[in-house]
Amino acid sequence: HRDVLASIYRALKLLHLDVAAMESSLDTTEYGERMQWSCQLPNFDFDPGDGCPLVLQMNCLNSVDMSTSLEVTLSWFRLVCSNGLMFGMGDSRLRKRHIQSLDPEDVAAYIRDQIALVEQEQSMYRRWMEQGLSLDDAAKWADTVVSKEWGPHAAARVWHIICCGEDGEV
């Protein structure tokens, strides 16, 4: 894990991102066979128009027991409900099976490509905010699509978020 994080650190430095100012979190399994590391990338936060900002976050998943490949993703994070909401940029992730070393240039190239899409993604979310949606249409969606796909409890929570702007308990 230390080697992976060192490569990611070097990749962020190659991109001139101020890693010293980044707040990050690291979770490991009890015996350290898997880890998840994440940090918010500075200067990419934005408000799509509703007062609730989106934060660009880098996530890294790694295992030393070969139970999963190394995975690096960039995703938007927004605290909407009790467990947070994360969604990836486009459909992209860097996945590698690494046995020896991870080249920081590979990671930097992936991050550079993803950062190039940030402005396009931000524009898309702003356009979505400008589109109108009636409460009747949202209710029909929650009662049919969400209820069928995620179940009635999730549909009730989604409806509460739509109506109140925060998660509710069922």
Side-chain angles (χ1 to χ4, degrees):
H1 301 315
R2 181 177 36 236
D3 293 340
V4 167
L5 292 175
S7 289
I8 289 174
Y9 175 83
R10 287 193 301 276
L12 292 169
K13 295 281 279 183
L14 285 171
L15 296 171
H16 307 290
L17 291 171
D18 183 13
V19 292
M22 292 182 190
E23 191 173 316
S24 67
S25 68
L26 175 68
D27 295 312
T28 62
T29 54
E30 184 177 0
Y31 299 110
E33 62 274 13
R34 286 184 300 283
M35 70 98 181
Q36 179 183 11
W37 173 83
S38 63
C39 76
Q40 294 180 1
L41 297 181
N43 305 318
F44 292 102
D45 302 10
F46 83 103
D47 179 348
D50 64 352
C52 298
L54 293 161
V55 176
L56 188 59
Q57 188 167 330
M58 183 174 175
N59 307 290
C60 175
L61 180 64
N62 188 49
S63 72
V64 294
D65 64 357
M66 300 204 305
S67 60
T68 184
S69 299
L70 168 67
E71 211 173 274
V72 178
T73 59
L74 264 61
S75 59
W76 293 106
F77 178 78
R78 181 175 187 171
L79 188 60
V80 175
C81 59
S82 59
N83 62 352
L85 171 66
M86 291 178 62
F87 45 100
M89 287 188 51
D91 219 7
S92 176
R93 72 177 42 148
L94 173 67
R95 262 187 99 121
K96 276 187 125 52
R97 182 168 181 247
H98 67 99
I99 297 171
Q100 303 233 340
S101 65
L102 178 64
D103 186 355
E105 281 292 338
D106 290 344
V107 178
Y110 166 76
I111 297 168
R112 190 179 302 113
D113 290 347
Q114 294 305 295
I115 287 175
L117 299 174
V118 164
E119 194 172 308
Q120 179 183 345
E121 292 244 343
Q122 290 174 340
S123 294
M124 178 181 65
Y125 299 131
R126 286 189 185 101
R127 280 193 314 275
W128 288 357
M129 288 300 299
E130 292 169 3
Q131 288 183 334
L133 176 68
S134 72
L135 278 180
D136 286 342
D137 288 340
K140 287 176 192 168
W141 172 73
D143 286 343
T144 56
V145 176
V146 178
S147 183
K148 179 182 175 189
E149 295 292 322
W150 297 348
H153 287 97
R157 290 178 65 196
V158 165
W159 179 246
H160 197 273
I161 291 168
I162 290 169
C163 292
C164 304
E166 56 188 48
D167 198 3
E169 290 188 35
V170 180

